[in-house]
Amino acid sequence: MSVHIERNEAPVLPQATPLTLINDTGHAVAGDGTGGFELPEPEILKSLYRRMVVARRFDTQVTALTRQGRLATYPSALGQEACEIGSVMALRTSDWLFPTYRDTIALLTRGISPADILEAFRGDWHSGYDPKAHRTAPAATPLATQALHAVGLGTAARLKGDNTVALTFLGDGATSEGDAHEAFNFAAVWQAPVIFMVQNNQFAISVPLKKQTHARMLADKAVGYGMPGYRVDGNDAAAVYAVVSAAVERARSGHGPTLIEGLTYRIEAHTNSDDPSRYRSNDDVLAWKARDPIERLEKYLVSQNLLSEDDRSAIAAEAESLAGDIRDAMNAEVEIDPLSLFDHVYAEPRPALLEQRQFLADELSASEDKS
């Protein structure tokens, strides 16, 4: 089966100033700064706010549990709520998401339970959730590999004639990987219905962006591959939702991929084993905290009489209830069969894998005999 691929007009360089619809002070932006995009409907804005508040409580609770040793590791997404939730909310449930290890609050927004999200970080069982049930691939730890998977799925969907769109998250450091180049290139060549959401949180672990690329900005890379690129204020949930929604619609209509750079900041450390004070200043962190994505949307909603004290109390109660569920889940002892490590690796297990499985089975049996 083949698909006719049209040649689109050559894309132009995106604007350098990030597209913004609600600024740092909580005011709606007018004029060129919006790039022609409009504010989402009030119900969408309220949903974005609620989900960001709940997601932040999820993040702070999991970070606390990690410091207590309940999880092996946890890459916080604190400060990146607008990028992740604004993007996921632009998808239909029938679309696919290809996340990275930092995108746990995107998984939460996708409807995956906290206990299932955190199983992988506890080292318990595979990805922790059913990818097919949630149309969400296992969170990738290798950089940019999931972008190729998104292109593969999107291309297959197009060949089958359905209108599924794939969205994948990448970090700024991942754009330096060969897999990212291959994904961008083939998505454009095949006009795959894929959205590349690059969360530019300024650091690839400890390496600043200026040591990753000499390009003016990451969104510029889209032009070289022949697809549209946008630079968005990644702390403005309204702008992220609007731009990603337009890209999703474009992909669903058969007009190919889009690369979006969300300019944001990782407030917490890379993971619990990282010391960010060795490579960034506290003043930098404080400056970005002043651009908090939740506070700015809250200011806007309050100014428009779209958010009452009762609304805020109800959302806070929902967030605390979720935090309690997370604590209960992490306090529960989970019985894991170590041999399940070898399940679902291949449809037809290879001899070497079966040999390793038998070796572990013998070791476990010997341990039981000694006890």
Side-chain angles (χ1 to χ4, degrees), residues 89 204 214 299:
M89 279 190 59
H214 196 57
K299 288 176 183 174

Side-chain angles (χ1 to χ4, degrees), residues 5-26:
I5 297 175
E6 295 181 358
R7 285 291 168 193
N8 299 321
E9 292 184 6
V12 297
L13 283 171
Q15 65 181 67
T17 303
L19 297 170
T20 305
L21 298 181
I22 298 176
N23 65 20
D24 294 347
T25 60

Side-chain angles (χ1 to χ4, degrees), residues 38-95:
E38 297 181 352
L39 270 175
E41 296 295 319
E43 287 306 314
I44 296 292
L45 294 176
K46 290 168 66 176
S47 183
L48 286 166
Y49 172 77
R50 180 180 70 79
R51 290 173 183 276
M52 288 199 296
V53 171
V54 172
R56 178 160 297 182
R57 187 66 186 92
F58 169 91
D59 194 283
T60 56
Q61 181 61 79
V62 176
T63 297
L65 289 168
T66 306
R67 287 169 179 158
Q68 294 173 11
R70 304 295 180 91
L71 293 97
T73 188
Y74 179 67
S76 169
L78 199 149
Q80 298 182 211
E81 293 89 351
C83 259
E84 301 209 3
I85 295 171
S87 298
V88 172
M89 279 190 59
L91 298 176
R92 295 178 182 171
T93 54
S94 56
D95 294 329

Side-chain angles (χ1 to χ4, degrees), residues 2-3 60 83 102 128 155 163 165 172 205 223-224 227 236 243 257-258 271-272 283 287 291 323 330 349 362 368:
S2 63
V3 174
T60 56
C83 259
R102 193 175 299 286
T155 302
N163 61 1
V165 170
D172 43 285
I205 305 182
V223 178
M227 61 179 157
D236 177 6
V243 175
T258 301
T271 67
N272 48 304
D283 288 344
R291 304 181 60 192
M330 292 302 105
D362 292 343
E368 289 177 359

